[in-house]
Amino acid sequence: MKRFLIFFILTFTLVVAIAACNPSANNTTGDIVVASKDFTAQDILGELLAQHIEATTNLKVTRRPRLGGSFVCHNAILAGKIDAYIEYTGTAFTGILKQKTVNDPKVVYEKLKQIYAEKFNLEVMPSLGFEDTFAMVIRGEDAKKYNIQTLSQAAQYTPQWRGGFGYEFLEREDGFPGLAKTYNLRFSKPPQIMDLGLIYRALIQKQVDMVAGNSSDGQIARLGLAVLKDDKQYFPPYEATPIVRQATLNKYPELKSAIAQLSGKISADEMRQLNYLVEGELRDIKEVVREFLKSKGLISRKGKAVRWAAPPT
């Protein structure tokens, strides 16, 4: 009954979220709609994609931040309610396509690109340059106290711990069920379903003892938390890559070359720094993104776009 209720609530949320991203429901509409998922890194990446498109083309972009998780964004783009968002290859491969985990990033990308084109008429663009994998996080003081560095080492302590994870992580193919089986993780009681924006606060306040974050999260270092090494290599590759409707690319041919300019432009360290500027220093996302694009030579100091040929794919 509890799972049915959760499913009902999430289904209702999905319907509302997709309806909410209908351009007619918003007074400010553009040529294309760029969405992002519901955490800080996605806020940044969605804004980066939107700003770069507007700087390098004559297209106007409608932003749809915090649309929801992967399934919400995927259904929205299939319904034509949004035109693009940033996804992670492992998430799409195992979560959306329900494929078995593959650890080779090139194999995952090529298969994903082929299946998304054939099945969904979606274009999987080249990676932005960094991987944002799941990070199993505990308090730094606990890592030092028990000398824990890996998930295998943590497994002996989890029977006394409480876990706190997002709904998707608890349900998806590459999430908690497989991880728990691989490492024999058993908690004192069933893991708590938590909003991703609250997991680190709950960890610091000792409401839970282990959470599933993202490797690019700026709060990990800022709060003195410890990431446990995935020593059995359970998680697949999670390269950040733009997903775009092929119909939109056909309608606006300049869009593909504009997005391709971002290929390989963001490192994992740079993504963590961007997250820190927003979460740690409370900087405005639009300004942080604008400064980053300037630092990469994608926008001049006067705010004009730097136009060049798209890099080879």
Side-chain angles (χ1 to χ4, degrees), residues 30 53 55 60 72 108 112 115 151 194 198 236 239-240 251-252:
I53 290 170
K60 297 297 182 183
V72 172
V108 172
L112 187 67
I115 298 174
L151 277 166
M194 302 190 68
L198 302 176
E239 295 182 313
K251 184 177 182 180
Y252 304 112

Side-chain angles (χ1 to χ4, degrees), residues 33-213:
V33 180
V34 171
S36 58
K37 295 196 260 184
D38 50 357
F39 53 95
T40 302
Q42 280 278 312
D43 292 338
I44 296 167
L45 293 173
E47 180 60 27
L48 185 144
L49 188 60
Q51 280 195 29
H52 185 67
I53 290 170
E54 290 183 331
T56 54
T57 71
N58 292 320
L59 300 173
K60 297 297 182 183
V61 179
T62 296
R63 278 83 159 163
R64 294 283 184 250
R66 299 269 165 166
L67 184 60
S70 294
F71 302 126
V72 172
C73 290
H74 180 68
N75 280 283
I77 201 170
L78 289 184
K81 301 299 185 182
I82 65 175
D83 296 287
Y85 77 103
I86 306 296
E87 187 55 277
Y88 306 99
T89 53
T91 299
F93 193 70
T94 60
I96 302 298
L97 297 181
K98 307 298 181 184
Q99 299 289 309
K100 292 184 178 180
T101 299
V102 175
N103 293 109
D104 188 326
K106 291 184 179 180
V107 172
V108 172
Y109 178 79
E110 292 301 329
K111 286 188 175 181
L112 187 67
K113 186 177 180 67
Q114 178 185 352
I115 298 174
Y116 261 49
E118 294 175 352
K119 188 174 182 179
F120 303 130
N121 293 318
L122 296 176
E123 183 77 15
V124 179
M125 300 289 288
S127 167
L128 297 177
F130 74 96
E131 184 180 351
D132 198 1
T133 186
F134 280 117
M136 305 308 297
V137 183
I138 62 175
R139 288 181 290 274
E141 60 193 75
D142 289 341
K144 291 178 181 178
K145 180 179 179 180
Y146 302 112
N147 192 27
I148 301 173
Q149 298 178 343
T150 70
L151 277 166
S152 293
Q153 293 170 336
Q156 62 182 304
Y157 299 100
T158 54
Q160 290 81 48
W161 288 358
R162 297 154 297 173
F165 310 120
Y167 175 80
E168 280 192 16
F169 184 74
L170 284 171
E171 296 294 324
R172 53 192 274 180
E173 183 71 22
D174 58 337
F176 180 73
L179 183 74
K181 184 177 181 180
T182 299
Y183 287 99
N184 193 30
L185 299 180
R186 299 178 182 178
F187 290 95
S188 59
K189 58 182 180 180
Q192 234 177 297
I193 300 175
M194 302 190 68
D195 183 286
L196 293 179
L198 302 176
I199 56 174
Y200 294 127
R201 182 187 302 176
L203 187 60
I204 289 297
Q205 294 177 350
K206 298 187 177 182
Q207 297 172 7
V208 293
D209 304 290
M210 179 188 288
V211 299

Side-chain angles (χ1 to χ4, degrees), residues 32 59 83 117 121-123 125 244-257:
I32 63 172
L59 300 173
D83 296 287
N121 293 318
L122 296 176
E123 183 77 15
M125 300 289 288
V244 191
R245 294 178 67 238
Q246 289 182 343
T248 305
L249 294 175
N250 292 334
K251 184 177 182 180
Y252 304 112
E254 68 272 32
L255 184 60
K256 188 169 186 177
S257 61

